[in-house]
Structure formats: structure tokens, C-alpha cells
Amino acid sequence: MSFVSLRDLRVSFDGVPVLHGIDLDIAKGEAVGLVGESGCGKSVTWLAALGLLPGKARVSGSVRLEGEELIGAPRPAVEKVRGARIAMIFQDPSSSLNPVHRVGRQIGESLRLHRGLRGAAAREEAIRLMDMVGIPAARTRIDLYPHEFSGGQCQRIMIAMALAGQPDLLIADEPTTALDATIQAQILDLLASLRRQTGMAMVFISHDLGAVSAVCDRAAVMYAGRIVERGDVSALFAAPQHPYTHGLFAAIPEIDADRRRLQPIEGTVPDPKHLPPGCAFAPRCPRATGFCREHLPDLKPQAAGGEVACFYPVSLTQPHREKALA
């Protein structure tokens, strides 16, 4: 049985569907990447799963944690899971940390809520967590405010807060987007190291294919509120089969190549209020036919491995994988 299982997860805002039946399984200790452009539904999937969407959102389907249903569960039951068994970190630590409270107090609050630690015990554990995530001189800096740390250090503090509840699953929602390239690499190394140390599972939400390849075992590609391709990272990166995944790889610049025009995916993600009747990617897809524009493909297993929601899947060659990993 999967540790976390999503089945037919759907979300709508003011009657407009934005998530169209997500099925996803996470095993214990596994790292799964969610990839796609902004607006594809990556973050909404897990905000819905954890009950963090605003009241106007309508959520249906099933989210089970070791068989325990979270959708529609009483608020106290969900709160016992959120932050304790499943924790989430966000892409902008400056908006997640409270600027008027010292970081030690903020980590201590998580320790009090999820592990019942108070006083000196909470302080020592907060220092230990800051050390674990690589904050230098943690013992002397625990009483500083967020603005006294760099952006990368603030993200490390957010990770420490997430680890305070000793979660079984960490949701990392684009945790490196607001950081420069060097700090991004450090945070990715930190997440991989923490996963090895703690044995926790991880969902890594990102539009950065290289980052996903660095920390994930499997990946799912999302488009317009649906998963359009998923499989093992190595196989998916070696030979992606959905035209959208194909386009994502083709758009990656090659540092050592001649000066040539990039190959962007023309157009934009469709407005959820005006989705095309068939495949949502058809208006942007160079392989689309009239059949694609009228019928919606299901996510189905492929002979080459993985699952793809496309009537005319394609494949890429090894060099594209090397581009993403560069």
C-alpha cells in the first residue's frame, strides 16, 4: 500500500475546475517531482491535499495517508497530519517567516505544536535543527530576526521549521526559485542529504527539470490541471513521450552550443474557464490532429515504460537528457 495516495483529486474555484482528477502515489522514502509551467496545478494539488486552499475552493476525490482519508476529515484530524506527518516549504521564505519574531521562536512554535517541546528543550532542539540545515554559528544566531539572514539562509530556516515535526513526507514547493544558482545547488544538496538522513519521502514541485533530476526518483509532468506523463526520472529524461514534455526539453538552452534560437513552446497554458474540448495541449501541439482537438486522452501505460496521456506520443534522444542535467 502506498504511503500517500491521491485518487481523482479535483478542485474548482467559483465553479471553474482547475484540477481535473489527479491520481498519484507516494511510497515511503520516495522522492517524486511535479513538473510544468506556472498555472498547471502543481501547487494546488498539494494545497488541496493538505486543506490549505481558501474557503471558496471546492475539493473532491480522495487523499489517503496510510489509509486514513484527509478529504472531508474533521479539522483536528487534518491538523494532526499537517506539519507533523506531512510538512510543506514554500518558494519565498521572506513571505513565510514572520519578520517581527526571532527565528528561534518561530522554530520553537513548530516544536511546541508538533512535539510538545518547551523552554530549554525546545531551544536546544531548534539549535540542533539550525545546525542540521547548515546555519553557521546557530547557537549565537538563534535570537536573530529573519532580515538578519540571507535569502538562502532563510530558506534553510524554513526547512528547519518543516523538519521540526519530524515529518514522513516533505512537500517542497519550488524551494529554490527565489535563490541564485549557487545557493540553489546548496539547497538541493541539503534536501537530498536530509532525505538520506531521515528516510522521509519528498514531493519536489518545480519547473526546473535539472533540479528535479538531481533529487527525484520519479517525476510527473502536469499541464492544465492534469498529469500528462509520469515515470522514472531516468527513463522520462532519456525518452520523454508526451509532446509537452518534448517541448520542455527542447526549450532548455545548451551552454556549449552555437548561438542559435531557442525552441519555445508557442502559446500559453489555457485559461481554466475556456479549456478546449479535447486535449488541452492541442492548440500548442505541432502533432495535434482534429481527433486530438475533439477527444481527451487518458493517462495510459506505454510499451516503452511510463504513462502518457497522448494519442500520438513521441520520444526524444539521450542528448536532451544531458541538456537537462547540465
Side-chain angles (χ1 to χ4, degrees), residues 4 16 22 59 64-65 86 90 111 141 167 170 187 190 199 224 237 263 277 283 292 307 311:
V4 177
V16 178
I22 300 298
V59 180
R64 290 184 175 272
L65 172 65
I86 303 178
F90 300 94
L111 292 168
R141 303 181 74 193
L170 178 66
I187 294 298
L190 172 62
F237 277 51
Q263 302 176 42
C292 300
E307 298 170 275
F311 296 118

Side-chain angles (χ1 to χ4, degrees), residues 86 114 116 160-161 170 197 219 230:
I86 303 178
H114 303 304
M161 290 176 65
L170 178 66
Q197 291 178 43
R230 67 182 170 203

Side-chain angles (χ1 to χ4, degrees), residues 243 279 281-293 310 312:
C279 175
F281 187 62
R284 307 173 68 187
C285 181
R287 299 173 63 87
T289 66
F291 186 82
C292 300
R293 297 182 180 92
C310 181
Y312 305 103

Side-chain angles (χ1 to χ4, degrees), residues 24-63:
L24 190 64
D25 293 302
I26 312 294
K28 282 192 173 182
E30 182 182 35
V32 177
L34 280 187
V35 182
E37 294 170 276
S38 296
C40 287
K42 307 183 300 296
S43 299
V44 168
T45 297
W46 289 99
L47 291 174
L50 294 176
L52 294 173
L53 291 176
K56 67 177 182 179
R58 293 293 176 264
V59 180
S60 64
S62 173
V63 176

Side-chain angles (χ1 to χ4, degrees), residues 39-254:
C40 287
K42 307 183 300 296
S43 299
V44 168
T45 297
W46 289 99
L47 291 174
L50 294 176
L52 294 173
L53 291 176
K56 67 177 182 179
R58 293 293 176 264
V59 180
S60 64
S62 173
V63 176
R64 290 184 175 272
L65 172 65
E66 293 189 322
E68 178 184 354
E69 181 62 59
L70 300 183
I71 299 298
R75 186 179 182 89
V78 176
E79 289 180 346
K80 286 182 180 179
V81 169
R82 197 165 55 205
R85 301 200 64 191
I86 303 178
M88 192 166 186
I89 57 175
F90 300 94
Q91 61 179 297
D92 184 7
S94 63
S95 64
S96 300
L97 291 170
N98 191 322
V100 301
H101 291 303
R102 303 174 195 273
V103 297
R105 176 178 175 180
Q106 296 185 59
I107 299 173
E109 183 179 14
S110 294
L111 292 168
R112 177 178 58 81
L113 288 172
H114 303 304
R115 291 167 58 186
L117 296 181
R118 289 176 171 79
R123 184 178 179 84
E124 286 301 313
E125 179 63 5
I127 292 170
R128 188 189 73 83
L129 289 170
M130 290 176 68
D131 279 331
M132 179 185 288
V133 299
I135 299 294
R139 187 170 295 277
T140 60
R141 303 181 74 193
I142 189 173
D143 293 318
L144 299 182
Y145 292 93
H147 72 269
E148 297 178 275
F149 293 85
S150 69
Q153 289 176 337
C154 283
Q155 190 61 282
R156 290 172 184 268
I157 291 168
M158 285 301 304
I159 295 172
M161 290 176 65
L163 295 176
Q166 299 178 321
D168 298 311
L169 172 62
L170 178 66
I171 312 298
D173 188 358
E174 304 205 33
T176 61
T177 297
L179 308 175
D180 62 57
T182 302
I183 304 303
Q184 284 184 24
Q186 294 176 6
I187 294 298
L188 292 176
D189 287 343
L190 172 62
L191 290 173
S193 174
L194 290 172
R195 183 182 158 221
R196 289 192 298 269
Q197 291 178 43
T198 64
M200 67 181 177
M202 182 170 66
V203 172
F204 188 82
I205 300 170
S206 181
H207 59 270
D208 186 335
L209 293 165
V212 169
S213 73
V215 298
C216 296
D217 305 311
R218 290 192 298 126
V221 181
M222 292 190 67
Y223 187 79
R226 290 185 172 89
I227 293 176
V228 297
E229 183 169 5
R230 67 182 170 203
D232 292 339
V233 162
S234 57
L236 189 148
F237 277 51
Q241 299 174 73
H242 195 281
Y244 177 61
T245 316
H246 181 157
L248 292 176
F249 278 92
I252 298 173
E254 296 184 68

